Structures are given as structure tokens and as C-alpha cells.
Amino acid sequence: MPVEAPNPDATPQPVSSDTPRVSPEVSLWELVFFFGLIGLTSFGGGLTAYIRRLAVTQKGWLTDEEFFSALAIVQILPGARVVGISIYIGNHLRGLLGAALALLSIMMPPFLLVCFLGLLYFHYGENSDSKALLAGVTAVACGLMASMVFEAGQKSIRGVFDVVMIIVTFLLVRLGHMHVQYVILLLAPIAIWWHRPRPEIKGDDLNQKGSTP
Amino acid sequence: MIQTFGHLVALFMILSISAFGGGKVVLPTLQHQAVDKFHWMTNQQFVDLFGISIIDGPSMMVVTLVGLKACLQYGYVIAILGALVATIAMFLPSSILVLIVGRYWDSWKTSPWHESIQRAMMPISTGLILAAAFIIARHSIHTIPTAIMGIIALCLMLFTKLNPVIMIVAAAAISWVFLR
């Protein structure tokens, strides 16, 4: 294992109590194993909490603060959240190589499984047994999708403007057949401007008005 | 064949950096491109593949299956290569973005614009997910039994913490027994 050789600091590891936290030394094999296991058991989502429990609480690879800072980044960027978090942790522990290995190992198990199921589907998809099976699978998929609409709606609606944005987005995509990248280029600047940071004075004004009888 | 790879890469690299709020938001565009523009598959196949893909992995594994189907006409080996190309094109650009933003994060961590962006993007994601749900519903809820299963799944998702994979397996078994 050439991984652990160029690492002189590894031996005199002081279990410091008050010095600022340094990320623990983690071998690349451990990273691959960790994210491979998550990829292997990533059935059905809910993974963010799971990763936090393993990486923060159990392994101590990063602090809770670092984890939530990573989550905040990943949430406003495009892409799957779990993948983003994994890359961030990989990069945090072992730099670019760590990030690349985290991405590879979390993607590999589901990739192989999904490819296998896909080939089965194209081989046997036309017979009546698999059609019956798939009727149930897609019906549940539809129910899951609907539940995601509810969850996303609950998180995003805090005013009339948000409702208008949801409806406009839906109509542009559904009736206008506009592609997602153009929808975002068109609507995101408007929405960001609407939610722009307001100057503090306004808030103070309101507070003063509210407090003076 | 090379042309198909090119189409896959171009399509998924754009979708990768458009997927604000997770992979689900690009489903309407993905369906339109895969079915209506490139004719890689039928609507029914698209929805079937989506159903298969949510069994495991991050929310966007349907990308892998679209790549697989797009190249299936060239044989199984090329098909798996297509799946790989599609998956890389979908996950690499957004991953690089995470690294870049992660590096400069500290300087704008405290910026109030962070909250603005998050609040602005969430309703747009919701609208896109709503549009995706319509597409899935139109090709999955054909009959009263499938409608009932869909509604039960929705309720279980909203009111319990049951793992969706258990629901999928159970629904597959039930519909195999009764709808065969």
C-alpha cells in the first residue's frame, strides 16, 4: 500500500485536547471502503443523516460544524446532495484524490446494480410477468414523486411569490416545454433579486415602529 | 455510435449543472430529449426505467439507464459503456463545482446572498418536481389498482418512515400476483 508510506506525521499522533482540530489521517483504502459501503446500502435515500452519523459521530472525520457547512454548500449547488457531501468529505480528508475516490466508490455499487437491472429489463421487459411487476414498481415511483412534491413545496412556500414561482415554473415546463436550463436562466435571476438581502435599516425601522406604542 | 456518445455527453453535462434541488428536477427535460428528440425509448420505457432506477443510489440513476438504452442497439458491451459515459457526464460537472465552491466558501459563507439563492431556487425546484410527477403519473397510473398503489405509497411516504425500497418490492410482488 503506497498510500500510507509518505506520511511522517502519522506515528507521533498526539491526542491533543485543546489545540485546534486537525483532520485525522485517513487512508485512501478506508475512504474507498467507507463510501463503497454507503453506495452499497444506499437503498431508498435518507442518506444525509446516515453519512453524518458515520462520518461525524462514529469516525470523527469532521466536526458537526464542518458537516453542516458542507451541507449548506451542497444545498445551493446543482446535483445530488449525497454525492456532493461525499466529494466534500473526500476532499476534506485527502484532497483531490480523496474526492475522486469518494465519488467513484459511492457511485460504483448503484451503477452496477442499476445496469444489471436495466439489462434484465431490456431482456425480459416484454413478457407479461415483468410487465405486471413493473406496474407496481412505477405506481410506487409515482407515489414517491408526489411525496417529494409535497416535501419540496412545504420547504419552499413562505409567501405568495413562492407559489407564483412554482406555478410559472410548472407551466413553462409542462405547457411551454421549456428545458430546465432555460427555466433556471430565466427565473433564477428574478427570484434571487426578489429575495435579495434587504438593508438592515429596514428591519430596524420595522422593529422601532413595532415597539413604540 | 460516436454520435450517440456525443449526444449523451452534451445532454448530461448541461443537465448536471442544471440540477438545482437534486436529480429529479431534470426529469422533464430528460424525458423530452430521450423520447421526443433522440427517440432512444418510448414514454413507457422511460417511466419503467425511472421506476427501476429509484431502487438504489442517488436520485439520478435513471441517467445511467438512459445511457444504457441509447447505446443498446450497438450491443451489451457498448451499452454499458454508454451507461458509464452518461453517468460520468451527469456527475462530474456538478462534482467539480462542489470542489471549486468548497475552496472559496469561507469568503462568502457569511454573505446574505446565500440565503437569497437558497430561497429563490427552492420554489423553482418544486415546480420542476411537480412537472416531473405529472410525467411519471401519466405513464404509471393506468388502472384503478395502480392508482390505489400510488396513493398508498404517497401516504406511507408522508406519514411513516418506511423505507421506499420495501414499498417497491412489496408493490412489485402484489401487482405480480394480482395483475398478471
Side-chain angles (χ1 to χ4, degrees), chain B:
Chain B
M1 187 181 94
I2 300 297
Q3 203 187 8
T4 309
F5 280 177
H7 288 319
L8 285 172
V9 171
L11 172 62
F12 288 125
M13 283 179 79
I14 290 173
L15 295 187
S16 178
I17 51 167
S18 308
F20 287 92
K24 309 166 286 289
V25 307
V26 304
L27 273 179
T29 301
L30 181 55
Q31 179 259 357
H32 185 260
Q33 298 278 307
V35 176
D36 300 329
K37 187 170 171 208
F38 292 118
H39 305 290
W40 286 328
M41 60 192 69
T42 63
N43 269 317
Q44 187 60 51
Q45 284 175 325
F46 181 80
V47 173
D48 284 348
L49 291 180
F50 174 73
I52 293 170
S53 76
I54 58 171
I55 290 177
D56 190 25
S59 57
M60 220 34 219
M61 294 310 284
V62 67
V63 163
T64 305
L65 291 173
V66 170
L68 189 80
K69 178 63 175 79
C71 298
L72 196 65
Q73 49 181 318
Y74 308 112
Y76 285 147
V77 177
I78 303 294
I80 290 175
L81 203 60
L84 193 63
V85 166
T87 311
I88 292 171
M90 184 69 195
F91 286 96
L92 203 56
S94 57
S95 303
I96 292 171
L97 210 57
V98 169
L99 290 176
I100 295 170
V101 175
R103 173 154 295 181
Y104 298 106
W105 178 248
D106 281 330
S107 50
W108 66 293
K109 193 180 195 172
T110 48
S111 163
W113 285 98
H114 174 243
E115 167 84 7
S116 306
I117 295 172
Q118 196 170 1
R119 283 215 52 199
M121 296 313 288
M122 278 197 308
I124 300 175
S125 310
T126 306
L128 290 164
I129 297 172
L130 184 63
F134 265 75
I135 290 169
I136 305 296
R138 214 171 64 186
H139 299 283
S140 64
I141 308 296
H142 306 286
T143 53
I144 293 175
T146 49
I148 293 171
M149 278 193 280
I151 291 168
I152 291 175
L154 169 63
C155 293
L156 288 175
M157 278 304 283
L158 289 179
F159 304 116
T160 70
K161 291 202 162 184
L162 190 64
N163 190 321
V165 174
I166 295 170
M167 293 181 212
I168 292 171
V169 173
I174 290 167
S175 68
W176 182 67
V177 170
F178 291 104
L179 301 180
R180 197 155 39 128

Side-chain angles (χ1 to χ4, degrees), chain A residues 164-207:
Chain A
V164 172
M165 284 311 276
I166 293 174
I167 293 170
V168 169
T169 307
F170 176 76
L171 291 178
L172 282 177
V173 174
R174 195 80 195 107
L175 301 180
H177 294 291
M178 193 185 253
H179 287 173
V180 53
Q181 64 267 30
Y182 302 123
V183 172
I184 289 169
L185 284 177
L186 180 73
L187 296 183
I190 300 171
I192 293 171
W193 178 81
W194 181 274
H195 289 296
R196 71 192 177 280
R198 311 294 164 115
E200 293 283 330
I201 311 114
K202 200 176 155 193
D204 286 347
D205 269 357
L206 282 173
N207 283 342

